[in-house]
Amino acid sequence: MTQKNYYITTPIYYVNDKPHIGHAYTTLACDVLARFKRLDGCNVMFLTGTDEHGQKVEKSAEVAGIDPQAFCDRVSQSFRDLAATMNISNDDFIRTTEPRHVTAVQALWQKLAATGNIYLGKYAGWYAVRDEAFYQEDELQDGPNGQKLAPSGAPVEWVEEPSYFFRLSAWEQPLLKFYEENPGFILPASRRNEVISFVKGGLKDLSVSRTTFKWGIPVPGDEAHVMYVWLDALANYITAAGYPDTASEKYRHFWPADLHMVGKDILRFHAVYWPAFLMAAELAAPKRIFAHGWWTNEGQKISKSLGNVIDPVGLVDEYGLDQTRYFLMREVPFGNDGDFRRSAIIGRINSELANGFGNLAQRTLSFCAKNTGAAVPQPGELSEADEALLAHADSLHPRMGESLDVQAIHTALQHWFDLVDAANKYIDVEAPWTLRKTDPARMLTVLWCLLEAIRQLAILAQPFMPASAAKMLDQLGVSEAARSFAHLGEAGRLRAGTPLPAPQGVFPRHVEAAAQEG
């Protein structure tokens, strides 16, 4: 059977400041999906990286008193460090200042020019440095002291300069046709409707070069211009796939990308500009853009001025890595906005991980350590309740897979937790501690069924909580070679007599440190 290829990307993160919870959230969602696909037997390429050009970076470097490249090197490293802290399994990390990217973007520009999609003109209009975006007059709002503001709240300035333009207006109808023929291209559905409405409102040609600053990729043949940062940044996805060598094995395997994961604030660039650039360059568009929501902090919008920015490294230090990963993926319907609350993360850790899955495994394994010779017991004939629990466990992989294929990560985790819940009810009803005295053979069957449910839960927890799931599988005596999804269900059933190591708790309860007395 041919191995399926799967290419997933985060947006590349802008290096004007250090990473925050939004960056961790997007990257973590991609990591979960990439790990799930790998365990499912796919050949995965998972890309993340940093977007390092543009006026905003040039200004941030100036404020820091260092040259732009040194500034980018420093901030880009902080994104690599975050990926390591969060146990992210990316296969590549791209920087837009790399030679491979400069080569790819200049090749894309030349292709767009050769197909007549780029022309030289003059730009006069409103530009927001903070957003690196142009805005129409009717999109602006009035701010304090007569200042005009972009819809994002960023201040805008009037810019007049020579500029190359991309013929975006020519791609209005082809884009609408593409959206109609590919209904799953933009998810969630509410975001798809927003994009279609925006395109139907009319597309104007897009300014794709600047002459008033220098920190960017030079336009081929006209080095007075640097490329607009979004044309430069979006092309990272094809750079990493091997462009401009479209005949390479890598490009043929991985382009078009299966999924670009983005925050809702950059959906327009990915769902309108990017497919238009690709169509104009006679390249395939990606298969899906998924736009997720934003986090607030205890009900408040997160902002530097309020001092309530959530540092993901701080969360990991306080609550644990896998606990943080689980909470971020579990708490909010993926695609919606979410509110970070301390009480919520502590509640999930204690009720679902410690009392739910952790306690289920701990009491089952501890009971086996004392009553089955610290080995997997030999089951007898299965009852209806046993069959029901095993059928539930065996059906979990396809149900989680279906949810993750539409990026419903929270739904996949709900399916997972439903089995935790079912297994806890089963142990309470079957009561192996009573069977030990009344029906020891039946006790062995119940314990085997519980161990088998825990095995499948642990295998399917790997994309979400890799280190904790590995510890759990170690305690079940499951070899490294038997942890892929091919071993779920009957194919990997626990064998009687397999030694079980001494059980150790994997999910401790989170206890708040006592408040300091004044």
Side-chain angles (χ1 to χ4, degrees), residues 183-202:
F185 175 63
I186 302 164
L187 284 181
S190 58
R191 305 273 175 239
R192 180 175 184 269
N193 298 337
E194 277 171 32
V195 169
I196 290 172
S197 169
F198 172 75
V199 174
K200 281 184 173 172

Side-chain angles (χ1 to χ4, degrees), residues 364-365 368 377 447-455 476 494 500:
T364 302
L365 287 162
C368 289
L447 290 172
W448 181 84
C449 291
L450 283 164
L451 289 170
E452 180 56 25
I454 294 164
R455 177 185 76 88
L476 292 165
L494 287 167
L500 295 172

Side-chain angles (χ1 to χ4, degrees), residues 255-447:
W255 194 260
D258 293 86
L259 178 65
H260 292 328
M261 183 73 77
V262 301
K264 63 181 183 179
D265 52 323
I266 55 172
L267 177 60
R268 184 184 298 181
F269 302 103
H270 283 81
V272 181
Y273 300 170
W274 182 224
F277 294 154
L278 290 165
M279 289 173 182
E282 299 168 350
L283 299 171
K287 296 174 191 173
R288 174 162 303 152
I289 315 287
F290 189 100
H292 65 70
W294 291 339
W295 284 85
T296 50
N297 188 353
E298 304 286 352
Q300 279 190 310
K301 187 177 177 182
I302 292 174
S303 77
K304 272 195 196 169
S305 56
L306 286 173
N308 66 347
V309 174
I310 301 170
D311 173 16
V313 178
L315 292 184
V316 170
D317 289 344
E318 187 170 354
Y319 300 108
L321 172 56
D322 281 350
Q323 289 85 342
T324 299
R325 287 174 60 108
Y326 178 82
F327 172 77
L328 290 175
M329 294 294 97
R330 171 85 164 117
E331 179 67 5
V332 180
F334 196 72
N336 292 7
D337 290 341
D339 184 34
F340 179 86
R341 287 173 296 121
R342 291 177 65 84
S343 60
I345 188 168
I346 293 166
R348 295 277 187 200
I349 290 168
N350 290 342
S351 70
E352 297 185 357
L353 295 181
N355 296 355
F357 187 40
N359 191 39
L360 169 72
Q362 184 70 7
R363 57 181 177 158
T364 302
L365 287 162
S366 297
F367 204 80
C368 289
K370 291 172 189 157
N371 297 285
T372 70
V376 175
Q378 177 69 55
E381 194 174 332
L382 300 180
S383 72
E384 203 173 298
D386 304 338
E387 297 275 14
L389 182 67
L390 292 174
H392 190 162
D394 293 350
S395 70
L396 188 53
H397 169 229
R399 282 186 293 149
M400 288 179 75
E402 280 170 23
S403 298
L404 292 175
D405 279 344
V406 290
Q407 291 72 58
I409 300 174
H410 59 293
T411 309
L413 272 179
Q414 183 60 56
H415 291 318
W416 181 85
F417 190 74
D418 287 346
L419 178 58
V420 171
D421 213 25
N424 272 311
K425 285 179 179 148
Y426 171 87
I427 194 173
D428 288 341
V429 169
E430 297 297 330
W433 45 90
T434 304
L435 292 171
R436 179 177 55 188
K437 298 169 191 157
T438 60
D439 190 345
R442 173 73 191 141
M443 174 195 77
L444 296 178
T445 304
V446 166
L447 290 172

